[in-house]
Amino acid sequence: MAAFEPRNPDYRAAAARLFDGQPAMRTLGISLVRLAPGEAELAMDYSPGFSQQNGFVHAGIVTAGLDNACGVAAFTLMPRDADILTVVVKTGRTLTFCEAKAFAERDGATTLVATMTGTLMALLRHAPAPAQAPAASPT
């Protein structure tokens, strides 16, 4: 894989704050285990509470983790003043395309169980517009 250059020298701390600021990941028991420019590795222990009728982890739970992995990986390459959103249908100059893979580990064997391709958008933070003085009322 090609080496990526982060545009924010503090990308590790910023990406960790982004991940830690998401209550959904804590609820699902998903943790951030590794960060590199353009890469994020997440982990989740099996929980029967997140399984479907056959005992496998529900695809919606896996998708939430993959979506987050793509988002955090893309965020490591964004400028300091950016936030991030997953894009459904949007065109523009601020898009990042990501791929995520989910693996299951059991009895020492690792199996690929899901993949995701994501399109994410840098949501640049702008300073708020200065407040305007109220218009003078006619007398």
Side-chain angles (χ1 to χ4, degrees), residues 24-90:
M25 293 297 102
R26 284 191 301 280
T27 299
L28 297 174
I30 297 175
S31 60
L32 178 62
V33 296
R34 190 178 68 80
L35 271 175
E39 297 181 24
E41 183 177 332
L42 308 182
M44 179 183 127
D45 289 334
Y46 177 81
S47 171
F50 296 125
S51 65
Q52 50 193 12
Q53 73 283 357
N54 55 19
F56 292 108
V57 175
H58 192 284
I61 303 299
V62 174
T63 301
L66 291 175
D67 175 66
N68 207 282
C70 284
V72 173
F75 187 74
T76 66
L77 302 176
M78 294 184 179
R80 184 183 309 267
D81 61 345
D83 203 345
I84 190 161
L85 294 173
T86 298
V87 175
V88 176
V89 177
K90 171 77 177 159

